[in-house]
Amino acid sequence: RGRARRTLITAMDEEVSPVSTQIPEWDSMEQDEGLSGTLVEPPMKYQGEIFCNRNLKMSKIAAVGFDMDYTLSDYIPETFETLAYKGARERLVEKLGYPAKLLNGREYDSKWFVRGLVVDKRRGNILKMDRHKYVKIAYHGFRKLSKKERDDLYNPTSTNWEAYQEPAFAVLDTLFSLPDAFLFSELVEMK
């Protein structure tokens, strides 16, 4: 990098003062706890820049996808999920002929579902199972099923791995699937 001199810690743990720096933030560096014997650079401060290794004409781009691991953009998951939920509702009504009352349904609640749940598409249930496939909690739409209802539907003595496979079941294993699960429950409630 060569743009600024760094303070180094010698093998004898003696600090050598920097002669000068071109970047003022480097003056406030803290000592690295590791084995490198150097001081840590402060992180760059993000100021809204977008870094790209080639020219890109956005007018030619039809869609932008997100992988939700914050590599390309910094966003608030709840806002992103709400946008996905509302967009899916609108599409169901406008393009697929679902009842317009769907647009006046529940407000999206990002805390309602978590990753790791299982959707029973045939029965309209969302399940929380343990590692032995025992259904600990189940909801039909937004109504919690009683233990008796759960046991009648998902017999705890006869469950096996093959019982919970596609196409009848789907696992909510990504952040993208959480708004889908909420919408699924809303559609079950409408039925």
Side-chain angles (χ1 to χ4, degrees), residues 45-128:
K45 292 187 172 125
Y46 176 71
Q47 298 175 355
E49 303 91 353
I50 296 176
F51 301 97
C52 183
N53 61 0
R54 66 185 193 122
N55 291 337
L56 182 66
K57 290 186 178 184
M58 291 303 288
S59 63
K60 303 288 183 189
I61 304 299
V64 177
F66 293 93
D67 59 2
M68 293 189 72
D69 67 358
Y70 305 96
T71 54
L72 296 177
S73 65
D74 196 15
Y75 54 88
I76 301 167
E78 293 82 13
T79 305
F80 183 84
E81 292 169 17
T82 300
L83 181 64
Y85 168 72
K86 287 181 177 179
R89 273 196 325 192
E90 290 169 8
R91 184 165 177 82
L92 287 174
V93 172
E94 295 168 9
K95 303 285 186 190
L96 299 175
Y98 278 71
K101 70 178 183 177
L102 179 61
L103 296 175
N104 300 323
R106 292 176 176 245
E107 282 295 315
Y108 178 71
D109 182 357
S110 64
K111 308 273 187 280
W112 192 263
F113 295 113
V114 295
R115 287 185 294 175
L117 300 176
V118 176
V119 178
D120 180 347
K121 297 186 230 177
R122 291 190 180 136
R123 294 182 180 116
N125 298 331
I126 297 189
L127 317 172
K128 171 68 173 166

Side-chain angles (χ1 to χ4, degrees), residues 115-149:
R115 287 185 294 175
L117 300 176
V118 176
V119 178
D120 180 347
K121 297 186 230 177
R122 291 190 180 136
R123 294 182 180 116
N125 298 331
I126 297 189
L127 317 172
K128 171 68 173 166
M129 301 186 333
D130 67 13
R131 62 186 172 145
H132 303 291
K133 299 292 184 193
Y134 173 73
V135 178
K136 298 170 77 171
I137 300 171
Y139 279 82
H140 182 77
F142 294 103
R143 182 182 67 82
K144 187 175 184 178
L145 299 180
S146 69
K147 180 173 178 14
K148 180 176 178 359
E149 289 175 304

